[in-house]
Structure formats: C-alpha cells, structure tokens
C-alpha cells in the first residue's frame, strides 16, 4: 500500500462532540482533508507546537517525552496513521536509535504532537485517505451540503473554546493596545493558561 504525506491545516472546536476538537490534516500532493477528533489536552499540545510564540515555562507531557528521547539518543523519524476502525484512527511512531528502527503504537493525537516536536513527517495509507478523506470544494449540490459541517469546523483554525466564547474574548482583547496584549500573553503563558494565551495570540495576529 502506498503512503500519502499529510500536513496540518489547523485545529478548531468540534461542532459535533462536546469537549472535543477537530484536527484537520491536508493531503500534501492533493486536495483531500483528513479530519480527526482529538481531546482538549492534545489539541492544546499540538497548537503550542505549531505556535512558536507560546513557550511553556515547564515542559508539557509531549515536551517531556522529547527531552527524554533526546537524552537517550532516540529520534522519531516519522508518523504513520496506519489503521481506521469504527471511526478511530490508529498510528505508529517510527523511531530510531543507534541505527536500529523500532515501531511504537500511539494514539494519533499523541503521535502528531510528537511529530511536530521532532519535525517528523506524517503519513497515512492511500486506502485510509480514500475512505475518510473529504473534498471541501465540490460542484454538486449534495456534496456542498455534506461538506458544510466541515467548513464550519475549519472556519476558526487553532481556536480553543466555543465559538461564542472566542468571539466574546476577541471583543475584550480588542480594547487593548499591542503592547498590553504582549504583556497579557506573557502573563498567561507564565500562569500556564494556554487557552487564554491562544486567544490573545489570535488577537495579536489580527493586528
């Protein structure tokens, strides 16, 4: 089976599952998207790895794993999403130490959080993308209706919290100057309030 390389498009609050987030992966050499439902902690960890401006004062679990692995000369070479059963994705970490390769099972959300930290590529098999991949653009009316929910999920990439909460926070932070926002961002990170930090970061990005 042939492998297909994926990239990360963004993360958004899931409109269909309470307390869950949607991670959207892009087909690098194509137009299909692969949506994966993940938990809040994993969404936060992935977003922090994507957002270089937010640096936690203490290592998160995935940062700790990376530090531990590097101390013992273990490198994550790539991540493969290798199975899809009843809507659940299964992944493997392809690791290497002393030129010996090992394969370790992992939840897809954890695997991607680690892939970002090791700058490792993410792959899936073509048959999985054929089964679960979606096209966001379609010429048919039926497909337009079917992709509307996905468009909603993608409308606010890397947003942490419900849409109404995000809008309310945006109104509050809009009153602050850029200098005040940067000070608030530093304060939120030092207090390890990454949800608040992400919202402040979004406001800074809009400026």
């Amino acid at each position: 089976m042939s492998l297909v390389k994926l990239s990360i498009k963004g993360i958004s609050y899931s409109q269909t599952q309470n307390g869950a987030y949607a991670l959207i992966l892009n087909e690098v050499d194509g137009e299909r998207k692969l949506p994966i439902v993940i938990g809040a902690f994993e969404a936060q960890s992935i977003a922090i790895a994507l957002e270089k401006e937010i640096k936690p004062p203490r290592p998160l679990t995935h940062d700790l794993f990376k530090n531990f692995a590097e101390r013992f000369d273990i490198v994550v070479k790539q991540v493969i999403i290798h199975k899809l059963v009843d809507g659940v994705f299964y992944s493997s970490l392809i690791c290497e130490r002393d030129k010996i390769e090992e394969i370790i099972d992992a939840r897809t959300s954890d695997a991607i959080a680690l892939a970002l930290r090791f700058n490792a590529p993410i792959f899936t098999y073509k048959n999985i993308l054929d089964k679960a991949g979606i096209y966001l653009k379609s010429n048919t009316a039926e497909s337009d209706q079917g992709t509307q929910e996905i468009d909603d999920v993608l409308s606010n990439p890397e947003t942490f919290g419900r849409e109404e909460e995000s809008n309310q926070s945006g109104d509050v932070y809009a009153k602050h100057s850029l200098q005040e926002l940067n000070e608030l961002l530093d304060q939120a990170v030092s207090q390890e309030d990454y949800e608040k930090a992400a919202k402040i970061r979004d406001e800074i990005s809009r400026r």
Side-chain angles (χ1 to χ4, degrees):
M1 291 182 287
S2 59
L3 287 172
V4 179
K5 190 173 183 179
L6 302 170
S7 62
I8 297 175
K9 177 176 177 63
I11 307 171
S12 180
Y13 190 84
S14 174
Q15 305 295 318
T16 57
Q17 295 192 31
N18 244 353
Y21 291 78
L23 169 67
I24 309 299
L25 302 177
N26 270 343
E27 180 184 14
V28 171
D29 295 321
E31 298 181 356
R32 288 176 293 185
K33 317 295 180 191
L34 189 66
I36 300 175
V37 176
I38 62 176
F41 171 78
E42 292 77 13
Q44 175 180 276
S45 183
I46 291 170
I48 288 174
L50 288 169
E51 180 50 68
K52 306 302 182 184
E53 294 177 13
I54 300 179
K55 298 186 183 298
R58 298 185 299 170
L60 300 179
T61 302
H62 297 106
D63 297 317
L64 176 61
F65 182 97
K66 181 176 186 289
N67 295 339
F68 181 89
E70 288 183 335
R71 184 66 58 91
F72 292 95
D73 297 323
I74 300 169
V75 178
V76 174
K77 304 293 290 184
Q78 62 183 10
V79 164
I80 299 178
I81 304 171
H82 63 83
K83 187 167 66 172
L84 173 60
V85 179
D86 296 330
V88 178
F89 292 91
Y90 294 78
S91 295
S92 296
L93 298 172
I94 312 301
C95 304
E96 185 178 274
R97 183 186 182 212
D98 295 333
K99 297 183 179 179
I100 298 175
E101 190 173 274
E102 297 285 350
I103 300 175
I104 301 174
D105 286 336
R107 294 187 306 170
T108 298
S109 53
D110 289 329
I112 290 174
L114 290 171
L116 285 169
R117 286 161 170 81
F118 282 91
N119 293 318
I122 303 165
F123 296 94
T124 191
Y125 289 110
K126 183 179 180 298
N127 64 323
I128 293 178
L129 199 56
D130 290 341
K131 182 178 180 181
I134 58 169
Y135 289 96
L136 293 186
K137 295 181 180 180
S138 175
N139 295 326
T140 64
E142 292 182 8
S143 295
D144 285 344
Q145 184 176 1
T147 58
Q148 183 60 48
E149 292 183 7
I150 303 299
D151 286 330
D152 291 341
V153 171
L154 292 177
S155 61
N156 296 305
E158 298 177 35
T159 298
F160 302 92
R162 297 176 183 273
E163 185 176 355
E164 55 268 24
E165 291 175 350
S166 180
N167 290 338
Q168 183 179 6
S169 299
D171 292 340
V172 171
Y173 295 128
K175 301 175 183 178
H176 293 277
S177 68
L178 196 56
Q179 181 179 349
E180 290 173 333
L181 287 173
N182 282 303
E183 291 173 356
L184 287 171
L185 178 61
D186 291 339
Q187 182 181 4
V189 171
S190 66
Q191 294 173 349
E192 300 185 18
D193 188 346
Y194 301 119
E195 182 172 348
K196 181 179 179 181
K199 292 174 182 176
I200 297 171
R201 185 282 322 270
D202 289 341
E203 179 60 31
I204 292 174
S205 298
R206 280 194 287 271
R207 302 288 179 93

